[in-house]
Amino acid sequence: MVQLSRGALALAASILPQFVNGAGLNTAAVAKGQLYFGTATDNPELTDTSYVTQLSNTDDFGQLTPGNSQKWDTIEPSQNTFSYTKGDAIANLAEANGQKLRCHNLVWHSQLPSWVSSGTWTNATLLAAMKNHITNVVTHYKGRCYAWDVVNEALNEDGSYRESIWYTTIGPAYIPIAFATAAAADPDVKLYYNDYNIEYSGSKATGAQNIVKLIQSYGAKIDGVGLQAHFIVGSTPSQSAQASTMAGYTNLGVEVAITELDIRMTLPSTDALLAQQKTDYSNTVAACLATKGCVGVTIWDWTDKYSWVPNTFSGQGAACPWDENYAKKPAYTGILTALGGTAIATTTTTTRSSTSSTSTTTSGSTATGVAQHWAQCGGSGWTGATTCVSGYTCTYFNDYYSQCL
């Protein structure tokens, strides 16, 4: 057992309490028959040690999605020149942690390099470039991905096809051709169509169902539909409405997953907004649980610190289940409760390091027994296990927190 200095203990105490392995979102999800509860991540935040500690906590996250590092502009910035460094960093992390990898994405109208978006193409030459990209990328990650988002956001809000370079040059056939090409490169990976605003019944959801039927009519493989679920607090569809829409896809013989969940609010955050956000998260996760064929939920990063929302939607944010200081918000408890887990009463402490002040909230399992490595094993109000699994010692950090190390 390595003895930590008083300074190291103080620093750890300022970081670790918010990363307690309690009931855990992924643990609870798997216990309910889901394949995973996961999160997106991106390469810049992998330099943040505290962030990576929680990202690697498989009690909460059993799956990772690369937010940007597998998109076309990153992987094939110039024609037939491929760069996998950033995508591999996240794939390697997932493998080291024993987490599933949802790969994202192969064909999209956005984040294309200029040689694609501004090129001079014919139907034949663009098809060749698309198939070459898909074949190379899927082959590189063969056997490493649970699923690929093959085609992303191909629809307008009215359910018609988006006027992308793919559609205007090739026509709707680009979609089944993309799926067939991906299946040829890796016959075992799950292949998804992924889009936003298809969680509501209506024209766009019907358009997504028609895409599934189109791919099937070509004899190509499609395994699932990804519902991005970028929602707004107070405007999130009800649990029953979401479950009904999901059933519209699973009735076509495909699975579904919530792939990019976040629920944003108009800032500043208030107790009322946080309470509604908790309800909205709970209803969305519960809808997946209630749907036979909904395999898992992925949040679009877990902390407000790295959320895409504030840079995209002016005046909005606070969309994730953890705040920018890595403290769990009521949304976390809403998700956990929907998954059948139980969080203990929270204890809030404020700790300081030499560089920052962080407010943290600790929670864990009410279960008794033996605490696993890294789990909480003591502290004021703690009702869980106080004995660590063999090989680890319950190490005191402060009056509120001890951990198995």
Side-chain angles (χ1 to χ4, degrees):
M1 175 68 189
V2 177
Q3 296 297 319
L4 298 177
S5 68
R6 186 180 298 273
L9 285 170
L11 176 60
S14 72
I15 296 172
L16 291 173
Q18 59 236 6
F19 298 150
V20 173
N21 289 345
L25 305 182
N26 181 60
T27 299
V30 171
K32 284 290 189 179
Q34 302 264 280
L35 293 181
Y36 58 80
F37 188 96
T39 181
T41 188
D42 213 347
N43 298 82
E45 49 258 46
L46 298 185
T47 60
D48 183 336
T49 303
S50 299
Y51 172 91
V52 174
T53 298
Q54 171 59 16
L55 183 70
S56 301
N57 175 4
T58 55
D59 196 50
D60 275 324
F61 305 128
Q63 172 267 316
L64 301 182
T65 297
N68 289 292
S69 57
Q70 291 179 321
K71 291 174 179 173
W72 199 309
D73 59 350
T74 299
I75 282 189
E76 194 181 0
S78 59
Q79 190 164 12
N80 213 33
T81 300
F82 294 88
S83 176
Y84 296 106
T85 303
K86 291 183 177 180
D88 285 354
I90 295 173
N92 293 340
L93 179 64
E95 287 181 357
N97 293 335
Q99 295 163 311
K100 288 181 171 57
L101 186 72
R102 284 198 85 260
C103 293
H104 175 81
N105 59 58
L106 295 169
V107 182
W108 190 27
H109 68 276
S110 187
Q111 290 183 238
L112 293 170
S114 59
W115 71 267
V116 177
S117 59
S118 301
T120 301
W121 301 104
T122 65
N123 181 296
T125 58
L126 187 57
L127 268 177
M130 183 187 79
K131 292 168 73 174
N132 183 64
H133 178 84
I134 293 171
T135 299
N136 276 276
V137 176
V138 175
T139 299
H140 178 82
Y141 288 105
K142 184 176 182 178
R144 306 184 76 184
C145 306
Y146 167 75
W148 266 108
D149 291 328
V150 179
V151 175
N152 196 51
E153 300 176 4
L155 295 171
N156 294 314
E157 292 305 300
D158 65 358
S160 62
Y161 289 109
R162 184 188 295 272
E163 295 287 319
S164 66
I165 190 169
W166 312 109
Y167 180 75
T168 57
T169 307
I170 303 169
Y174 85 86
I175 298 174
I177 292 171
F179 275 81
T181 305
D186 185 352
D188 297 322
V189 71
K190 299 282 189 177
L191 304 180
Y192 270 65
Y193 174 72
N194 191 57
D195 213 331
Y196 62 92
N197 286 350
I198 61 169
E199 310 86 5
Y200 311 80
S201 63
S203 298
K204 196 168 187 181
T206 300
Q209 292 174 17
N210 289 337
I211 283 178
V212 174
K213 295 173 184 177
L214 174 71
I215 295 165
Q216 292 172 336
S217 74
Y218 272 69
K221 173 186 172 181
I222 177 170
D223 298 288
V225 174
L227 293 79
Q228 293 183 13
H230 294 298
F231 291 140
I232 300 172
V233 168
S235 298
T236 300
S238 68
Q239 176 185 334
S240 60
Q242 291 186 64
S244 176
T245 303
M246 290 178 193
Y249 303 119
T250 59
N251 288 341
L252 298 175
V254 297
E255 66 185 39
V256 294
I258 297 172
T259 55
E260 304 185 18
L261 175 62
D262 51 29
I263 306 180
R264 64 187 185 269
M265 64 181 69
T266 299
L267 300 173
S269 173
T270 66
D271 288 345
L273 287 170
L274 289 171
Q276 183 62 53
Q277 184 183 57
K278 174 183 177 181
T279 297
D280 292 343
Y281 264 106
S282 179
N283 285 339
T284 298
V285 172
C288 181
L289 274 182
T291 303
K292 185 178 180 180
C294 186
V295 300
V297 175
T298 305
I299 51 178
W300 206 241
D301 224 320
W302 56 272
T303 168
D304 293 335
K305 182 175 181 179
Y306 296 113
S307 172
W308 71 296
V309 169
N311 291 330
T312 306
F313 300 97
S314 179
Q316 298 187 351
C320 299
W322 282 257
D323 70 16
E324 65 275 6
N325 293 318
Y326 302 160
K328 294 171 182 175
K329 294 155 62 175
Y332 180 95
T333 304
I335 297 169
L336 186 59
T337 302
L339 292 169
T342 304
I344 66 166
T346 59
T347 300
T348 302
T349 66
T350 300
T351 57
R352 292 185 180 272
S353 69
S354 60
T355 57
S356 65
S357 175
T358 303
S359 176
T360 66
T361 302
T362 67
S363 65
S365 171
T366 58
T368 59
V370 178
Q372 300 300 305
H373 187 205
W374 303 117
Q376 185 173 4
C377 54
S380 177
W382 176 249
T383 60
T386 56
T387 301
C388 297
V389 69
S390 177
Y392 300 98
T393 300
C394 189
T395 303
Y396 173 87
F397 286 101
N398 55 42
D399 290 344
Y400 302 101
Y401 185 71
S402 297
Q403 185 185 34
C404 291
L405 296 174

